[in-house]
Each structure stands twice: as C-alpha cells, then as structure tokens.
Amino acid sequence: MIYIIFGTQSPSIKKRIKKISKESLEFIDDLNFVSYDANETSLLEIIDDASYLPLGYEKKVISVERCSFLIKEDKALKEDKGYQALINYVNNENEQTDLILSIINETIDNKSTLVNLIKEKGRVLEIGNVDLNEWTNYVSSYLTKLNTKIDPGALYELSLRTLNNMDLLINSCQKLSLYTEHITEKDIDLMVEKPLEDNIFQIYNALLNKKVALAIKTYRDMV
C-alpha cells in the first residue's frame, strides 16, 4: 500500500506513521522499517529500496518525510526522473512494501498526477489539529524529556498559548527549561506571549470598560 500523510502537526503525523507500521509489521526493527528524508535522499534511491523484496520478512515499511513534491507539481517536477520513477512505481508497486510519503503542510496539490494516482491506488490521509487534552499531554511529555517540572496551572496555560503551534511550543519549552527547573504560572506569564487574538480581545475589553491606560499598556506589550 502507498500512503500520503499530510498536516501541520508533526507529532500526529509521526503517530500515524507508527500506527500504520505496527499494523503492517509483526515487530519493527532496522531491517523491515526504513526512514528517509526526501530532501537528503534521491527518489531514485528510495524507489530502488522499495522495489526490493524484504530479506527474511514478509513485509517492510518505508517512510519518506519532507516530501515537498506533494505540495506543488510544476513543469520542472514533471520532467524530473525521480518523480517520474515514483509515478511508475505507484502503477507497479511492490505489494510487500508499504510506502509512506509525508509532509508537514496544510495542503497538498490535489491536481497533481501523483496525488490523484495515490488517491486511486492507495490512501491519502489528512491529519487535523489536535485537541487541547492531547496537546497538553504532548507538552507534558516534551518537558519531561527536558527534565523540567511544571505546575498543573502552568501546564494548562502553556498548552493554551502554544496550541497547535509546534515551533512556538519547542521554542517556549526550551526557553523555560533554561530559565528554571520548575515552571510556575508566573514563569509562563513572563516568558511566553499570549496568542495575538487574546491580546486584541484584552484591548477591546479594556476600552469597553474605559480602562484606557490598560489598553495602551497591552498595545505597547504587543509591539
């Protein structure tokens, strides 16, 4: 089977790749699961690997990350030998290999030859944004890896301020872990900006209640 997986949340994409792999393989090791970065390895090399029979196994899984060719199919891409080889492979896939193409992006090119072919012969999976509970669990897990403790109220506030923004989360957690080994709500207020819409609402609410000084302060903090 050939899969396309796309969306804006890297953890959710990786989780889906892991789920597909576990469903396809009895157990996972370095011989039956191979991961490639499409920006570092040529498509010709990846397709060559996908075409080989798995040694000592009934099936193997090949995961290819950062597949930017899924975002836009232009003239140069259509003429690329690796891209054409991939299209040919989809038409004559090795049934003993599950090939997973993934990209962290909101959209893919639904008009491209490759995407439409995989829609017909494989599966295209769009991974939506995670909910607050799942995001909070991920934030907690990430901070644990950084050997940093966090109070429950601070965890909730950090999750709200970074919800579905992986770059902001990583930056905020690393900054906080350098600042302290035990994060409190005061640390979140000091180190992590509120979402823009929250600040705008605060300005509107301050003006509505004729608290001009607070509105100006909030505006200056945003700037």
Side-chain angles (χ1 to χ4, degrees), residues 88-216:
N88 291 335
Y89 175 83
V90 176
N91 280 314
N92 301 279
E93 66 176 291
N94 177 5
E95 293 184 357
Q96 291 180 280
T97 299
D98 281 343
L99 179 62
I100 306 172
L101 310 175
S102 64
I103 182 69
I104 301 173
N105 203 63
E106 289 184 0
T107 60
I108 55 175
D109 187 353
N110 287 301
K111 295 181 180 179
S112 79
T113 304
L114 177 65
V115 170
N116 280 299
L117 196 57
I118 294 177
K119 282 182 179 180
E120 178 186 339
K121 297 179 176 292
R123 292 187 65 190
V124 176
L125 305 172
E126 179 179 1
I127 307 299
N129 289 333
V130 300
D131 61 28
L132 181 58
N133 286 335
E134 187 175 354
W135 186 258
T136 301
N137 290 335
Y138 182 78
V139 174
S140 178
S141 175
Y142 189 79
L143 285 170
T144 299
K145 292 178 182 178
L146 296 176
N147 297 314
T148 305
K149 295 180 180 179
I150 185 168
D151 291 340
L155 175 60
Y156 177 75
E157 188 62 30
L158 178 58
S159 300
L160 278 179
R161 296 190 186 193
T162 62
L163 183 60
N164 287 311
N165 188 330
M166 183 55 61
D167 290 336
L168 177 60
L169 172 64
I170 292 173
N171 180 269
S172 299
C173 287
Q174 291 178 347
K175 186 167 58 175
L176 285 161
S177 67
L178 290 173
Y179 178 71
T180 180
E181 294 180 353
H182 191 143
I183 302 168
T184 65
E185 288 188 61
K186 288 184 178 180
D187 298 325
I188 302 298
D189 285 335
L190 179 65
M191 306 291 287
V192 184
E193 289 291 335
K194 288 184 178 180
L196 181 61
E197 57 270 21
D198 286 358
N199 285 319
I200 292 172
F201 176 78
Q202 188 174 350
I203 290 174
Y204 171 79
N205 197 46
L207 291 173
L208 193 65
N209 290 285
K210 299 182 180 180
K211 297 179 180 179
V212 179
L214 177 59
I216 293 173

Side-chain angles (χ1 to χ4, degrees), residues 59-74:
K59 293 199 72 173
K60 67 179 177 180
V61 174
I62 294 179
S63 172
V64 189
E65 299 180 354
R66 298 209 287 177
C67 297
S68 55
F69 53 81
L70 295 171
I71 298 174
K72 182 65 178 177
E73 184 185 66
D74 55 21

Side-chain angles (χ1 to χ4, degrees), residues 3 30 185:
Y3 300 84
D30 293 338
E185 288 188 61

